[in-house]
Amino acid sequence: DMDGVLWHDNTPLAGFDDLFAWLRESGIPYAFATNNSSKTPQAYVQKFADMGIADVPVACIFTSAVATAQHLQSRYMAGTRLFVFGMTGIRTALDEAGFDLTEDDSQAPQAVVVGIDFNMTYARLKQATLHIRNGADFIATNADKTYPTADGLAPGAGSIVAALETATDQQAEVIGKPARPIFDLVLNYLGTPAPNTLMVGDRLDTDIQGGRDAGMKTALLFTGATTPDHLVNPHNTIWADVAYEGLPDLLKAWAGDAWWIARQKSKRGRK
């Protein structure tokens, strides 16, 4: 995962650069699976570069927008009319997949596709609601209720999806985590068996549940949506294989204390 695991907004979390140093040294294949549909994979590559990591390949970044576009290609013909409630990431993915992204209310779309929209308006909610009530399929890139920011947890795409579900009396079909499509894309890219692949995330109901359902090992970090209090909640039924405070503790477990100490000394020596 990325939001809440690697960064909050545009602020890298502790251990960010150490993680990539270890990945380069170890040669372990990696990929990123995010429910955030606001950005394209290319935009994420630029975000990594802006944070000092210039060698992240675009092919290893899987967003819920990419997973949604590929999933819909298996269902609808090219040119199918869609109404998109979302930002650049999902709009670009669907456009590149050959769909017709209509804004004309006089033309009924086959489906309404919903992702995060930081500039959402009531007018757009109304349009989406009417299309769904008139028979359009209801597709959600993800159902994350919240979105981790430097200021705290903000409304996520799931909050928009919930509003539309309430207004339409319809349940959305969710494509992103914890649903299977995005995990299948990642495993196919990595070429590793699910039991030998670790899903690292900050959210129990998406990252951890989805990873477990896909047969992967899971590691929970307390730097995003989940706190240790969630684990002692008697109603919690989702458990990761391991849990860490953040990337530094994860790396100490992976690479060992000796590597971590040497890495910190090396960083201090370069300052």
Side-chain angles (χ1 to χ4, degrees):
D1 188 36
M2 291 193 280
D3 296 304
V5 170
L6 299 180
W7 53 59
H8 287 160
D9 290 336
N10 295 312
T11 304
L13 293 174
F16 175 79
D17 56 338
D18 301 307
L19 170 67
F20 286 93
W22 183 76
L23 287 171
R24 292 189 201 100
E25 293 176 22
S26 67
I28 290 178
Y30 63 90
F32 301 99
T34 177
N35 267 353
N36 192 334
S37 64
S38 67
K39 295 182 176 65
T40 65
Q42 292 79 4
Y44 276 114
V45 168
Q46 184 59 54
K47 183 168 184 171
F48 278 113
D50 292 343
M51 293 183 180
I53 308 298
D55 56 351
V56 175
V58 69
C60 78
I61 298 175
F62 298 89
T63 70
S64 63
V66 170
T68 298
Q70 292 197 22
H71 182 72
L72 295 187
Q73 277 183 309
S74 68
R75 179 184 302 182
Y76 306 127
M77 295 177 57
T80 296
R81 189 173 293 116
L82 304 175
F83 179 88
V84 181
F85 194 120
M87 300 171 69
T88 302
I90 184 59
R91 299 188 69 86
T92 298
L94 292 171
D95 182 61
E96 291 178 348
F99 294 110
D100 176 14
L101 310 187
T102 183
E103 295 295 327
D104 184 355
D105 283 347
S106 67
Q107 303 180 64
Q110 177 66 43
V112 171
V113 183
V114 182
I116 188 69
D117 189 343
F118 298 142
N119 300 302
M120 60 171 287
T121 64
Y122 179 83
R124 295 289 286 175
L125 277 172
K126 179 181 176 181
Q127 282 180 291
T129 297
L130 293 176
H131 286 315
I132 295 168
R133 281 197 167 275
N134 286 331
D137 297 334
F138 184 8
I139 311 294
T141 60
N142 71 91
D144 289 6
K145 296 177 182 178
T146 57
Y147 172 76
T149 73
D151 300 318
L153 293 177
S159 297
I160 301 172
V161 172
L164 288 171
E165 288 180 337
T166 300
T168 63
D169 298 316
Q170 298 291 324
Q171 195 80 18
E173 177 186 357
V174 179
I175 306 300
K177 299 177 290 186
R180 192 61 182 266
I182 195 168
F183 291 97
D184 288 339
L185 289 174
V186 169
L187 289 170
N188 182 63
Y189 167 79
L190 292 174
T192 53
N196 299 107
T197 307
L198 180 70
M199 176 65 207
V200 181
D202 69 308
R203 194 180 291 270
L204 286 169
D205 59 349
T206 57
D207 301 320
I208 304 307
Q209 184 66 63
R212 291 179 65 86
D213 289 346
M216 304 163 81
K217 299 298 183 183
T218 58
L220 176 68
L221 301 188
F222 296 125
T223 47
T226 303
T227 68
D229 289 340
H230 288 93
L231 301 186
V232 297
N233 185 326
H235 300 293
N236 176 52
T237 59
I238 306 170
W239 300 93
D241 292 291
V242 289
Y244 301 101
E245 285 295 327
L247 288 174
D249 289 323
L250 179 65
L251 283 169
K252 290 174 187 177
W254 277 357
D257 287 335
W259 181 90
W260 178 260
I261 292 170
R263 167 73 179 163
Q264 303 315 303
K265 287 182 178 179
S266 174
K267 289 167 64 177
R268 287 195 294 269
R270 292 195 299 268
K271 292 182 179 179

